[in-house]
Amino acid sequence: MHQQQSAFYKTFSRPVAKCALLAVLVYQLAYFGWTKLEADEVMEERNAEITKLEAQVMSLQATTREAQTPAAAAAAAAAAAASGSGITGEGQGVEGGKEEGKGKGGSWWR
């Protein structure tokens, strides 16, 4: 009985291994192809959404430019220029914060 099993495995182990390896390879190729197609589809949908939103933004900007009077545009520009540093807020930049700590004798990190 033991010799019969040994002969069976000796005869059929290599073909079974080849079939299993080939099946895994085919599965991986099919899986890779499927995920690539899915990713391409998602990218197309996102690009279409971005294009649609960009067109919407352009149309809204055009309507606000048309509705805005020249005096209101000048006032908005003056308000933007008067705001100063803009990002840091309250007119205090990064440099201002460093110099403030130096004169008071505070610690180095202020």
Side-chain angles (χ1 to χ4, degrees):
M1 175 84 169
H2 179 59
Q3 282 186 346
Q4 287 177 350
Q5 284 181 341
S6 175
F8 176 80
Y9 287 122
K10 196 176 233 183
T11 304
F12 293 109
S13 62
R14 185 169 290 187
V16 168
K18 284 181 181 178
C19 278
L21 185 63
L22 188 61
V24 168
L25 178 68
V26 168
Y27 173 79
Q28 289 297 319
L29 288 174
Y31 180 76
F32 174 75
W34 185 269
T35 52
K36 174 78 170 122
L37 290 173
E38 286 286 326
D40 290 346
E41 183 180 345
V42 168
M43 286 300 291
E44 282 182 24
E45 289 173 359
R46 287 183 182 167
N47 287 338
E49 181 76 17
I50 288 171
T51 304
K52 180 181 134 192
L53 291 173
E54 284 176 345
Q56 186 178 2
V57 166
M58 291 294 206
S59 67
L60 289 174
Q61 285 177 344
T63 56
T64 52
R65 278 191 210 122
E66 292 170 0
Q68 199 175 39
T69 62
S83 69
S85 61
I87 296 174
T88 57
E90 309 233 334
Q92 180 181 10
V94 175
E95 297 84 18
K98 287 181 182 177
E99 290 176 12
E100 180 181 329
K102 286 181 185 176
K104 292 184 178 181
S107 66
W108 61 273
W109 55 270
R110 272 199 335 178

